[in-house]
């Protein structure tokens, strides 16, 4: 018995879609093939095949730090220190 296929709709930023289509074309496949490869890998490995990390800049502790610095700045309580530039060789 043959396998049936279903239509899946995905919302994506228009620029990202264009870039993804261009990548797929360069590798000789279309977006449908690429998504099927991705889905097959996820199911086979039972995990996302790459790490998904948060940018530490947006961590709760850093946001709290930045908000405190802004409060200190607005209150005139922030002191600045000059540092020497680090030259990249």
């Amino acid at each position: 018995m043959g396998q049936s296929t279903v239509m899946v709709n995905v919302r994506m930023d228009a620029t990202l879609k264009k870039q993804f289509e261009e990548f797929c074309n360069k590798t000789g496949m279309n977006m449908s093939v690429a998504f099927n490869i991705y889905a097959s890998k996820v199911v086979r490995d039972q995990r996302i095949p790459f790490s998904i990390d948060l940018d530490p800049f947006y961590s709760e502790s850093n946001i709290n730090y930045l908000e405190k610095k802004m409060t200190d700045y607005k209150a005139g309580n922030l002191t600045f220190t000059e540092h020497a530039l680090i030259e990249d060789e």
Side-chain angles (χ1 to χ4, degrees):
M1 185 185 300
Q3 292 181 334
S4 64
T5 61
V6 296
M7 179 68 73
V8 176
N9 294 314
V10 177
R11 293 199 179 275
M12 182 182 296
D13 175 81
T15 301
L16 178 60
K17 178 184 180 280
K18 182 177 184 292
Q19 292 169 339
F20 188 54
E21 283 177 319
E22 289 171 358
F23 167 80
C24 289
N25 289 335
K26 288 177 186 174
T27 59
M29 64 180 147
N30 60 36
M31 288 177 48
S32 182
V33 170
F35 280 118
N36 276 289
I37 291 170
Y38 171 75
S40 295
K41 178 99 172 121
V42 168
V43 170
R44 183 177 60 247
D45 296 349
Q46 290 296 292
R47 67 180 193 86
I48 302 281
F50 48 84
S51 71
I52 300 173
D53 302 318
L54 294 176
D55 184 337
F57 180 84
Y58 296 102
S59 68
E60 184 178 355
S61 62
N62 195 48
I63 295 300
N64 290 338
Y65 172 82
L66 293 171
E67 286 174 346
K68 180 174 181 344
K69 290 297 179 186
M70 183 56 77
T71 300
D72 290 346
Y73 170 75
K74 288 179 179 178
N77 298 329
L78 193 63
T79 58
F80 294 95
T81 306
E82 186 174 325
H83 296 275
L85 292 176
I86 298 173
E87 296 293 327
D88 186 25
E89 294 182 21

